[in-house]
């Protein structure tokens, strides 16, 4: 799985790089400023001190007031006392001036500096950059001792220009060193960030894998707790949560298994007395015409409720077999359209249901006839009971690989809040209703039967109104692979048992398959 650009690893690397760059730049800037100031200050102090010493030593030896040749000689002597290649000296006395190098224009000397030297006794200096070359210009007035221990200006002024290319080279070397330090610091920051990200992301990746394992049902997954930092606390909390979840799920599974066993046991125990009650109610139904009205009404009520109870017990037994994984498929290659017609005919729904079926023999498949009958019967009964007319059943093939059965009614459709729960067991869309004509298991059994065939069933609302249930069953021929789930048994192509069972169910359910308002499935 590709890592996003905004992943934790990228953020850590960027954060380390930014911090390292900021720290290095700040340190480099401060170091550069201090080093540059130190280099230039040291050079400046050395030059001024040397210059002052040379002037003090040579100026008294020249005649005063000096002539132009005297000024030139003084300037040359002062220049020779310093670094011969770098020192350029200008000597000036009032309107006269001379330089150590004939023809030197001394362009670095500004009028402002000339005025500053001429107006005060202090030594003046200035750094000048011209054509990319840096120079230090120093100006100094020559003083003599006056009365009462005072110093008087003689009018003689000396100016010195010294190239600072060597110092500039030191500064440029310092800049290069700082740049290299920044690159090294950034590289080191990236390496440290990757190491830190690895240390941080390893438990995060382990936590992600453990979370996925939990989501896939492996509730015994635990993390190794290392250290005592926040990630260790997170791993410890995950382990506690996983242990609590495992215990809760185990308890829920025990309770669910107990409830299923209870339903299966109760259903099984009820079958025998219900069979006897059904036999008695059949006899009472035949004699009801000879009884008085009140007694006949009571007999019919007992018969109807016994029929409903029998249907509920049968549905509970069926759903218990699904839960226990004991549901079998008895596959047979049949004409699917003919099977749908038999389901409707066996329950007397030919007039109440519109059909759109293929021609006989056009769509065949290897399915369990009894379970296909249950699927169609439950969906049609649900449409008649909870929907509105007209109820339509449509069967078609899809790509030669599957059969699609659609059952649509003309009612108001299924509410959006109810739609996700229509296949839930015993779900009621109206919680105020304590009982319903159905068992509440019909659609759940339909879904289980479709799944057992390797198919699907879904519920929805048609754009033109009404609810529509769609079943998709894979088409298989004899010898083709069986369904993905369930246990499969092949039987000969005999439909007598199925037809008889369908007629019996039709007799018991025909009275209950009445159209009505949308309720629970």
């Amino acid at each position: 799985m590709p890592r996003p650009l905004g992943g934790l690893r990228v953020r850590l690397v960027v954060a380390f790089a930014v911090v390292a760059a900021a720290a290095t730049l700040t340190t480099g800037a401060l170091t550069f400023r201090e080093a540059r100031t130190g280099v230039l200050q040291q050079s400046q102090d050395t030059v001024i001190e040397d210059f002052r010493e040379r002037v003090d030593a040579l100026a008294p030896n020249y005649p005063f007031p000096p002539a132009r040749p005297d000024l030139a000689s003084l300037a040359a002597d002062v220049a020779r006392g310093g670094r011969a290649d770098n020192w350029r000296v200008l000597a000036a006395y009032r309107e006269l001036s001379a330089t150590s190098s004939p023809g030197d224009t001394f362009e670095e000397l500004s009028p402002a500096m000339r005025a500053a030297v001429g107006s005060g006794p202090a030594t003046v200096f200035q750094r000048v950059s011209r054509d990319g070359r840096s120079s230090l210009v120093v100006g100094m007035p020559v003083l003599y001792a006056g009365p009462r221990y005072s110093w008087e200006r003689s009018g003689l002024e000396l100016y010195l220009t010294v190239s600072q290319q060597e110092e500039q080279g030191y500064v440029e070397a310092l800049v290069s060193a700082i740049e290299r330090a920044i690159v090294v610091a950034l590289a080191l920051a990236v390496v440290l960030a990757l190491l830190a990200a690895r240390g941080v992301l390893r438990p995060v990746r382990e936590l992600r894998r453990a979370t996925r394992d939990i989501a896939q049902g492996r509730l015994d997954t635990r993390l190794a707790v290392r250290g005592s930092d926040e990630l260790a606390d997170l791993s410890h909390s995950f382990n506690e949560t996983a242990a609590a979840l495992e215990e809760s799920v185990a308890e829920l599974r025990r309770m669910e298994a107990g409830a299923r066993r209870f339903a299966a046991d109760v259903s099984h125990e009820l079958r025998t007395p219900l069979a006897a009650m059904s036999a008695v109610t059949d006899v009472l139904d035949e004699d009801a015409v000879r009884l008085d009205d009140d007694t006949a009404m009571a007999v019919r009520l007992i018969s109807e409720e016994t029929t409903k109870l029998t249907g509920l017990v049968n549905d509970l037994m069926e759903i218990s077999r699904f839960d226990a994984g004991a549901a079998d498929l008895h596959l047979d290659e049949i004409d699917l359209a003919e099977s749908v017609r038999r389901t409707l005919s066996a329950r007397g729904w030919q007039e109440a249901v519109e059909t759109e079926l293929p021609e006989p023999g056009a769509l065949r498949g290897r399915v369990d006839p009894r379970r296909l009958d249950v699927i169609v019967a439950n969906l049609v009964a649900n449409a008649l009971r909870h929907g509105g007319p007209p109820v339509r059943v449509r069967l078609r093939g899809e790509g030669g690989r599957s059969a699609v059965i659609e059952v649509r009614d003309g009612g108001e459709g299924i509410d959006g809040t109810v739609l996700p729960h229509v296949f839930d067991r015993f779900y009621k869309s109206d919680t105020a209703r304590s009982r319903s004509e159905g068992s509440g298991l019909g659609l759940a059994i339909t879904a289980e039967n479709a799944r057992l065939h390797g198919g699907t069933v879904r519920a929805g609302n048609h754009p033109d109104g009404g609810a529509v249930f769609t079943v998709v069953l894979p088409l298989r021929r004899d010898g083709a692979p069986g369904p993905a789930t369930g246990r499969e048994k092949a039987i000969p192509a005999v439909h007598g048992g199925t037809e008889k069972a369908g007629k019996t169910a039709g007799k018991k359910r025909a009275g209950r398959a009445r159209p009505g308002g949308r309720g629970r499935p």
Side-chain angles (χ1 to χ4, degrees):
M1 185 177 186
R3 294 287 186 271
L5 294 179
L8 183 57
R9 183 189 300 274
V10 175
R11 293 202 298 270
L12 282 173
V13 171
V14 171
F16 269 74
V18 169
V19 171
T24 306
L25 287 173
T26 303
T27 304
L30 294 175
T31 303
F32 171 75
R33 187 183 69 178
E34 294 298 325
R36 180 177 180 273
T37 301
V39 170
L40 296 179
Q41 185 70 41
Q42 182 180 5
S43 174
Q44 168 190 301
D45 293 344
T46 302
V47 169
I48 293 174
E49 185 65 26
D50 289 348
F51 184 45
R52 182 179 290 114
E53 291 178 356
R54 290 295 297 170
V55 172
D56 291 342
L58 296 175
N61 298 327
Y62 284 84
F64 188 83
R68 185 181 298 275
D70 298 328
L71 294 176
S73 178
L74 175 60
D77 288 343
V78 173
R80 282 194 295 270
R83 291 167 288 184
D85 294 338
N86 291 334
W87 279 31
R88 293 162 46 220
V89 180
L90 169 67
Y93 179 74
R94 295 181 182 176
E95 301 300 330
L96 300 177
S97 64
T99 61
S100 58
S101 300
D104 191 348
T105 59
F106 232 84
E107 295 178 352
E108 294 86 356
L109 182 58
S110 64
M113 186 174 182
R114 186 74 180 266
V117 174
S119 62
T123 301
V124 179
F125 63 90
Q126 183 181 30
R127 293 190 185 93
V128 179
S129 179
R130 186 181 297 274
D131 298 331
R133 295 177 177 272
S134 178
S135 302
L136 174 65
V137 182
V138 183
M140 178 185 302
V142 177
L143 307 178
Y144 65 91
R148 298 181 181 179
Y149 306 102
S150 64
W151 291 95
E152 301 291 340
R153 295 177 55 82
S154 65
L156 179 62
E157 300 169 359
L158 290 171
Y159 297 92
L160 168 66
T161 298
V162 181
S163 175
Q164 291 193 309
Q165 288 301 110
E166 185 176 352
E167 289 78 4
Q168 187 66 28
Y170 294 154
V171 173
E172 291 176 356
L174 180 61
V175 172
S176 299
I178 292 175
E179 291 176 349
R180 290 192 296 270
I182 291 176
V183 173
V184 173
L186 287 177
L188 182 60
V190 171
V191 173
L192 292 177
L194 291 175
L195 293 176
R198 181 180 180 183
V200 172
L201 292 180
R202 183 174 60 250
V204 173
R205 286 193 296 266
E206 292 176 356
L207 178 61
R208 181 180 61 191
R209 287 194 295 267
T211 304
R212 289 178 178 174
D213 291 342
I214 291 289
Q216 293 172 359
R218 293 191 285 272
L219 301 181
D220 58 343
T221 302
R222 299 294 184 271
L223 291 174
V225 180
R226 303 182 184 91
S228 58
D229 56 6
E230 289 80 358
L231 291 174
D233 291 341
L234 180 60
S235 299
H236 184 68
S237 299
F238 175 86
N239 291 340
E240 290 181 345
T241 303
L245 179 62
E246 182 180 20
E247 184 178 352
S248 299
V249 171
E251 180 64 23
L252 289 174
R253 286 174 177 171
R254 286 193 296 270
M255 294 173 61
E256 182 182 11
R260 289 176 177 176
R261 285 195 302 271
F262 175 77
D265 293 343
V266 170
S267 301
H268 186 270
E269 294 299 325
L270 287 175
R271 294 190 71 180
T272 300
L274 278 176
M277 292 173 62
S278 297
V280 172
T281 55
D282 288 343
V283 174
L284 291 177
D285 285 339
E286 294 175 358
D287 295 338
V289 295
R290 295 189 294 271
L291 301 175
D292 59 85
D293 293 341
D294 292 340
T295 304
M297 183 179 299
V299 167
R300 293 190 183 94
L301 178 61
I302 292 174
S303 178
E304 290 178 1
E305 294 301 322
T306 301
T307 301
K308 292 179 183 178
L309 184 58
T310 301
L312 175 60
V313 170
N314 289 334
D315 288 344
L316 285 174
M317 291 292 295
E318 183 74 2
I319 211 72
S320 297
R321 283 190 287 270
F322 284 120
D323 291 340
D328 295 331
L329 276 179
H330 299 273
L331 297 179
D332 185 16
E333 185 169 343
I334 63 173
D335 184 343
L336 300 183
E338 180 62 25
S339 177
V340 172
R341 291 189 185 96
R342 289 182 179 180
T343 297
L344 300 179
S345 175
R347 292 160 177 82
W349 289 338
Q350 303 96 316
E351 301 298 329
V353 178
E354 300 176 5
T355 59
E356 183 180 340
L357 306 175
E359 295 296 325
L363 185 62
R364 299 181 63 83
R366 191 164 177 258
V367 299
D368 187 324
R370 183 186 72 83
R371 296 190 182 280
L372 178 61
D373 174 80
V374 171
I375 291 173
V376 176
N378 284 348
L379 293 180
V380 173
N382 182 76
L384 292 172
R385 182 182 303 119
H386 301 300
V391 174
R392 302 181 181 91
V393 177
R394 180 187 180 192
L395 173 65
R396 70 178 190 277
E398 194 171 75
R401 298 185 302 272
S402 58
V404 180
I405 304 172
E406 292 182 356
V407 178
R408 175 189 169 193
D409 63 58
E412 299 178 355
I414 306 174
D415 187 83
T417 59
V418 176
L419 196 58
H421 306 286
V422 293
F423 296 106
D424 293 350
R425 302 175 186 181
F426 302 108
Y427 178 77
K428 293 182 180 181
S429 60
D430 184 1
T431 57
R433 297 177 58 187
S434 60
R435 63 194 304 269
S436 171
E437 293 181 353
S439 66
L441 294 172
L443 293 182
I445 292 174
T446 299
E448 292 290 347
N449 279 318
R451 181 191 60 80
L452 201 62
H453 282 85
T456 61
V457 58
R458 62 180 183 272
N461 291 315
H462 197 275
D464 297 331
V468 57
F469 288 82
T470 305
V471 180
V472 180
L473 298 177
L475 289 177
R476 286 180 288 270
R477 304 300 182 189
D478 286 334
T485 58
R487 295 186 293 179
E488 177 183 348
K489 295 181 180 179
I491 60 173
V494 178
H495 304 291
T498 303
E499 179 70 14
K500 182 178 180 181
K503 290 182 178 180
T504 303
K507 176 183 177 182
K508 293 295 183 182
R509 297 182 183 182
R512 295 186 290 125
R514 297 187 298 271
R518 173 71 61 196
R520 69 180 175 87

